Amino acid sequence: MVRDRFPDEPITLAIGDGLNDALMMREAHVGIELHTREGYLPCYAGDIQIASLKVLKHLLLVNGRNISNKIESIIYYLFYCGCLLTLPIFFYNFFANFTATAIFDSLSVFLYTFWFTLIPIVIYGSFDGGMHPYILTTYPALYIDGKRQKNFRWKQFFISSMAEPIIHTLLIFFIGLFAVSNSLSKDGKTDSLGMSALVMYYSIVVVANIRVYWYYNQKKLLCLMFLVLSMVSLIIWIIVEENAHFVDSNYGNETENIFERGSTLLCLIYLLFACGAVSYMIKHFIYGKFFQTLYDWGSEQDAAQDPFFKNTNILRRAYEPLQLGEIAKSCYKSSEFIDPTIQNLISADAKANEMNFNKFTLKFKGSAGIE
């Protein structure tokens, strides 16, 4: 009934021991099976097995929230990395008259995906603790954030995984291509396709790695360490390729030519600052204004230091006055036998708009005298 008839299609959680509620746990979005009896064989009807209800609060408010945020961030990042590498290949076709000239060799594409951008995001998923457990358990109303942010998922995906990499790619491709093509070496030599491609490739790898830093909440120093490790692995690859010649291009000579020319070096530095500025504006202005989370809002209010800040502040920020009559209509629209109390809620005379917040529960008061 809750899944099918409550507004906004809520995500349901079922808790039981599996004796007579196995079907309920399987039907819910998330099922938690409680093992409290010794010698009892579990039926494995739930998605999660716990031994005590004491861990339930931490499981929902901390682990569930942080893991959900990590999965969301990793999905956004994977699409971001894919667009950041493939869009320059698409743009270059217009300059190559669609002759299928490759701007990046296949080995570089492989290493970009499976090595240069892999380490920081794996460390983020494995070790970053997410938001602080004390804050999440002290203010359980922050859990509502998942439901609020669900309405913005596609907008956030479009901004983080499509709009942002498109802007970064336009900066990297056109600035890198024209800055390198108009540069000259000390002996008057012009650039080559390999130089332009390497400037773009190095910029893409560095920008993609720095982009992970925005996702970290606690282990920022660890993130910086592995960012440096990823950059060191890129340098090692250049040295190894120069001696082994895995591809036709000589990355070592091309890299030396890049750093010998002041304009190309300044181009790399400018690209990093420009892409970082775009990411900063998206995070703090677009996200901060239109998709601000309750956690970030509480940080702005300095909730941890304010003794008068309570869950009621978060709830009033999150919710508009709730019409209980609309919920009752959607739940009991097909029922022939309706309790008089519910009938009063459904009737037009009952104005159940007023909400009186407690710390962990909500009380709804209507004109029918219902609490």
Side-chain angles (χ1 to χ4, degrees):
M1 182 179 72
V2 173
R3 287 186 58 173
D4 298 335
R5 297 180 181 176
F6 263 56
D8 300 329
E9 300 179 356
I11 297 175
T12 55
L13 169 70
I15 304 175
D17 56 9
L19 294 178
N20 57 359
D21 46 22
L23 292 178
M24 177 189 69
M25 287 189 287
R26 291 193 178 101
E27 186 67 22
H29 291 100
V30 180
I32 297 180
E33 188 172 346
L34 185 62
H35 297 165
T36 57
R37 300 180 182 180
E38 295 183 1
Y40 169 70
L41 295 176
C43 65
Y44 299 105
D47 303 294
I48 304 170
Q49 284 79 36
I50 60 176
S52 172
L53 290 175
K54 295 180 180 179
V55 303
L56 188 60
K57 180 180 179 180
H58 195 276
L59 179 67
L60 292 178
L61 301 182
V62 180
N63 293 341
R65 177 192 177 96
N66 288 335
I67 291 174
S68 177
N69 289 342
K70 283 184 180 180
I71 294 173
E72 177 187 344
S73 300
I74 290 173
I75 291 173
Y76 289 170
Y77 180 74
L78 292 177
F79 276 92
Y80 170 86
C81 286
C83 291
L84 200 63
L85 183 68
T86 55
L87 286 176
I89 301 174
F90 172 75
F91 292 149
Y92 187 73
N93 283 316
F94 292 93
F95 291 85
N97 294 324
F98 294 93
T99 56
T101 303
I103 190 171
F104 304 131
D105 60 84
S106 58
L107 186 57
S108 298
V109 174
F110 172 81
L111 290 175
Y112 168 83
T113 305
F114 290 96
W115 185 250
F116 297 141
T117 59
L118 179 67
I119 299 175
I121 197 65
V122 169
I123 299 303
Y124 164 74
S126 303
F127 296 103
D128 188 64
M131 299 175 183
H132 202 283
Y134 175 78
I135 300 297
L136 296 179
T137 53
T138 304
Y139 302 104
L142 292 171
Y143 189 78
I144 302 170
D145 223 1
K147 183 181 178 68
R148 291 178 68 249
Q149 293 295 317
K150 184 176 69 173
N151 300 325
F152 308 132
R153 288 290 184 260
W154 285 108
K155 296 178 182 178
Q156 292 174 343
F157 175 82
F158 175 79
I159 294 173
S160 296
S161 302
M162 298 184 69
E164 186 175 356
I166 288 174
I167 297 173
H168 286 174
T169 303
L170 291 173
L171 291 171
I172 291 172
F173 181 81
F174 288 103
I175 294 177
L177 183 65
F178 290 107
V180 176
S181 62
N182 294 321
S183 66
L184 294 175
S185 63
K186 294 180 180 179
D187 53 0
K189 292 182 179 179
T190 58
D191 71 308
S192 63
L193 175 60
M195 285 182 59
S196 300
L198 278 181
V199 168
M200 295 181 202
Y201 188 76
Y202 294 159
S203 302
I204 289 171
V205 171
V206 175
V207 169
N209 277 274
I210 294 176
R211 184 64 180 82
V212 185
Y213 184 80
W214 299 112
Y215 296 128
Y216 280 75
N217 291 287
Q218 296 184 23
K219 306 289 186 178
K220 291 185 179 292
L221 180 59
L222 184 66
C223 172
L224 292 176
M225 292 172 56
F226 280 93
L227 288 181
V228 173
L229 178 62
S230 183
M231 297 300 100
V232 170
S233 66
L234 177 60
I235 297 172
I236 294 174
W237 157 244
I238 295 171
I239 297 173
V240 171
E241 193 281 328
E242 183 179 10
N243 295 291
H245 301 291
F246 293 115
V247 295
D248 295 334
S249 300
N250 192 326
Y251 286 168
N253 291 337
E254 298 291 358
T255 303
E256 289 179 6
N257 293 331
I258 290 173
F259 285 94
E260 282 179 356
R261 306 181 184 193
S263 59
T264 55
L265 186 58
L266 288 175
C267 173
L268 278 171
I269 298 173
Y270 174 77
L271 285 174
L272 297 181
F273 277 100
C275 293
V278 171
S279 297
Y280 181 85
M281 288 188 291
I282 289 176
K283 178 179 177 62
H284 289 85
F285 292 99
I286 296 180
Y287 269 72
K289 183 176 181 180
F290 299 103
F291 311 117
Q292 188 182 43
T293 64
L294 293 174
Y295 190 93
D296 293 336
W297 174 78
S299 300
E300 289 183 359
Q301 305 297 318
D302 200 13
Q305 305 298 328
D306 186 359
F308 300 102
F309 191 88
K310 299 180 180 179
N311 283 278
T312 54
N313 301 83
I314 301 174
L315 293 171
R316 290 192 179 96
R317 171 76 178 181
Y319 280 132
E320 296 293 333
L322 187 61
Q323 297 287 347
L324 289 188
E326 297 298 324
I327 295 179
K329 288 180 182 179
S330 62
C331 293
Y332 293 91
K333 58 185 178 183
S334 61
S335 177
E336 296 180 359
F337 303 98
I338 301 177
D339 187 89
T341 302
I342 302 299
Q343 185 63 50
N344 288 334
L345 281 177
I346 296 177
S347 65
D349 296 332
K351 298 178 180 179
N353 297 335
E354 181 184 352
M355 291 195 299
N356 190 10
F357 297 108
N358 281 344
K359 186 173 183 181
F360 294 100
T361 59
L362 297 176
K363 290 184 178 180
F364 304 91
K365 296 182 178 180
S367 61
I370 305 166
E371 285 197 9

